[in-house]
Amino acid sequence: MYDPENIFAKILRGEIPCNKVFEDDHALAFRDIAPQAPVHVLVIPKGAYVSMDDFSENASDAEIAGFIRAVGQVARELGLVEPGYRLLANHGPDSHQEVPHLHVHIFAGQPLGPMLTTKT
Ligand code: AMP
């Protein structure tokens, strides 16, 4: 169940501010409030989707195409293609997803180290 009171829903409705870097019909991108890399941007779809699981099952083809294109466009506009960047999207408790509105993290701005530090 999507919670319309989650913080990213409030950002989409303009009820709380964000440091916006990109917006189009399908997506909004803004800087993470607690950056974990020199560049840390979140890209969110405008539709009400909890996570990639919900989005990939229930979003329209146009929403999915628009969102994925937006992620790439944000990275290009921020000049990240040459140096490189990392995408991350959390789903559910094991991933420690905090905000229940789909968001893709874009990390960049320095060598990003190993993919995961968690040991099994
Ligand atoms: P996740 O753990 O994948 O759900 O990540 C949620 C991210 O949202 C974290 O990196 C938070 O720092 C970030 N965040 C939470 N509230 C805000 C906000 N108001 N503006 C920007 N980023 C936020």
Side-chain angles (χ1 to χ4, degrees), residues 7-8 11 16-19 30-36 40 42 88-91 95-101 103-105 107:
I7 195 143
F8 293 169
I11 287 174
I16 62 169
C18 71
N19 189 345
F30 50 91
R31 298 201 185 266
D32 196 289
I33 203 167
Q36 297 187 44
H40 186 174
L42 303 172
L88 184 150
N90 290 317
H91 164 80
S95 76
H96 298 281
Q97 181 182 5
E98 291 173 9
V99 180
H101 181 111
H103 48 285
V104 169
H105 298 254
F107 298 106

Side-chain angles (χ1 to χ4, degrees), residues 7-92:
I7 195 143
F8 293 169
K10 290 180 178 177
I11 287 174
L12 280 170
R13 292 195 296 266
E15 293 169 8
I16 62 169
C18 71
N19 189 345
K20 181 163 77 175
V21 298
F22 174 88
E23 182 170 15
D24 69 6
D25 288 348
H26 293 286
L28 175 70
F30 50 91
R31 298 201 185 266
D32 196 289
I33 203 167
Q36 297 187 44
V39 177
H40 186 174
V41 167
L42 303 172
V43 190
I44 68 174
K46 289 200 165 171
Y49 299 102
V50 174
S51 72
M52 190 59 81
D53 178 65
D54 184 14
F55 189 66
S56 61
E57 184 167 19
N58 297 312
S60 69
D61 290 355
E63 288 176 300
I64 292 171
F67 179 66
I68 296 298
R69 287 197 185 280
V71 172
Q73 187 171 346
V74 170
R76 285 191 295 279
E77 290 187 3
L78 292 174
L80 305 179
V81 173
E82 282 304 314
Y85 59 91
R86 179 171 293 159
L87 304 180
L88 184 150
N90 290 317
H91 164 80

